[in-house]
Amino acid sequence: MNSVFDAAAIRARAEVAMSVALDVGRETARFRHDSDPGALAVENKGLQDFVTVADRRAEQAIREGLLSRFPDDTFMGEESGGRSGKGGTWVVDPIDGTTNYIRGFRHWGVSIAFVVGGQVEIGVVYDAAGDKVFHAVRGGGAFKDGLPVHAAATADPANALVILGHSRKTSFDDYLALSKRLHERGMDYRRTGAAAIDLVRVAEGAADLYYERHLNAWDMLAGALIAEEAGAAVAMPSVERLLAQGGPVIAYSPGLAGEFAFILDIEGL
């Protein structure tokens, strides 16, 4: 436990973050359901990078919900920015999988991480598809609506299901080559477009790998902690580097470590 925060302080923040994620996630889902597509006011900032009224509303609600209870914490959000602080910092993606959200594909979520001293202490993810909240506190296991979740025990690659992310910041040819290599080993694979949700799929044993070459910190930190606490193997750069410039994440079922070792070599992790 980081010396700045005792166990009670971390637990109090986790409880608030879970409540905020559930409330904001449900309200964001209602807003999408009740809105005419034109009312979403989609503003295209570039390929794969959409901002909606819902994004801004959700982030503001999360900020207010967290900082009203913990005013000395700092806040870093996808939409409003911010910097990490010397105490504790909330790192938030109000809608991870924004394009899915806009199109009505319910593979999206709310991602909230709490970082202290370069380490993720709390991870909370609202999963819109199941209307469930995943959470983890470092050292305490991973949970889905309060029930423990565990990474899969898959050991045979022919039984593996993997999720691969891709952004236009990285090579599509490399992505195709990786997909081909995994396919040749007998693995089935998906690309679903919401890193936080993909990581909790590994945590709950629904998938055996999630890998993406470049993500922002708010996309991955909460889900990575949940996967790790569920028993998945997780590799990524330091939190400080991720906060500054983003980077890769690899989360996988430990029984398939040998199958995925080449990915760690690719990333130098």
Side-chain angles (χ1 to χ4, degrees):
M1 178 62 61
N2 192 288
S3 60
V4 177
F5 297 93
D6 62 17
I10 292 294
R11 173 49 59 185
R13 284 168 170 77
E15 293 290 343
V16 170
M18 284 186 279
S19 177
V20 168
L22 182 62
D23 290 347
V24 171
R26 286 178 170 174
E27 176 56 32
T28 302
R30 281 193 294 270
F31 182 75
R32 175 64 182 82
H33 180 268
D34 295 342
S35 294
D36 179 274
L40 291 175
V42 176
E43 173 188 324
N44 191 345
K45 295 194 303 185
L47 292 172
Q48 289 191 338
D49 194 7
F50 296 99
V51 177
T52 67
V53 171
D55 272 304
R56 298 189 182 101
R57 282 172 42 148
E59 185 164 308
Q60 183 60 30
I62 295 168
R63 177 192 288 269
E64 291 174 357
L66 296 173
L67 298 189
S68 64
R69 289 289 304 274
F70 309 108
D72 294 331
D73 295 346
T74 54
F75 187 95
M76 177 184 292
E78 181 182 19
E79 300 306 326
S80 60
R83 295 172 179 259
S84 58
K86 292 183 179 179
T89 302
W90 296 100
V91 183
V92 170
D93 191 343
I95 305 177
D96 183 58
T98 309
T99 303
N100 291 347
Y101 174 80
I102 292 168
R103 298 302 300 269
F105 178 42
R106 288 188 59 118
H107 192 82
W108 61 270
V110 176
S111 178
I112 302 174
F114 186 64
V115 175
V116 183
Q119 183 166 268
V120 184
E121 296 288 347
I122 299 167
V124 175
V125 172
Y126 171 76
D127 173 12
D131 187 35
K132 304 290 186 182
V133 174
F134 290 80
H135 87 275
V137 172
R138 180 165 296 280
F143 301 87
K144 176 182 180 180
D145 272 9
L147 299 176
V149 293
H150 304 283
T154 310
D156 183 348
N159 295 327
L161 189 151
V162 304
I163 303 175
L164 303 177
H166 172 68
S167 82
R168 293 175 185 267
K169 295 180 180 179
T170 59
S171 166
F172 189 62
D173 287 340
D174 289 348
Y175 171 80
L176 291 176
L178 178 72
S179 303
K180 183 173 186 290
R181 180 165 177 172
L182 296 174
H183 173 75
E184 288 172 345
R185 292 293 295 152
M187 301 183 200
D188 202 357
Y189 62 93
R190 308 282 188 271
R191 177 172 179 260
T192 52
I197 303 302
D198 295 337
L199 285 162
V200 301
R201 295 289 175 259
V202 175
E204 66 177 341
D208 295 296
L209 167 74
Y210 176 66
Y211 168 49
E212 185 156 351
R213 298 207 68 183
H214 187 275
L215 290 162
N216 292 308
W218 44 76
D219 297 314
M220 62 189 285
L221 292 184
L225 178 64
I226 294 167
E228 180 181 351
E229 288 294 326
V234 177
M236 60 187 189
S238 70
V239 172
E240 291 91 339
R241 174 183 156 187
L242 292 171
L243 290 171
Q245 63 188 59
V249 65
I250 309 158
Y252 56 92
S253 302
L256 291 166
E259 295 291 333
F260 302 135
F262 78 98
I263 303 177
L264 277 71
D265 290 340
I266 290 171
E267 298 296 349
L269 296 172

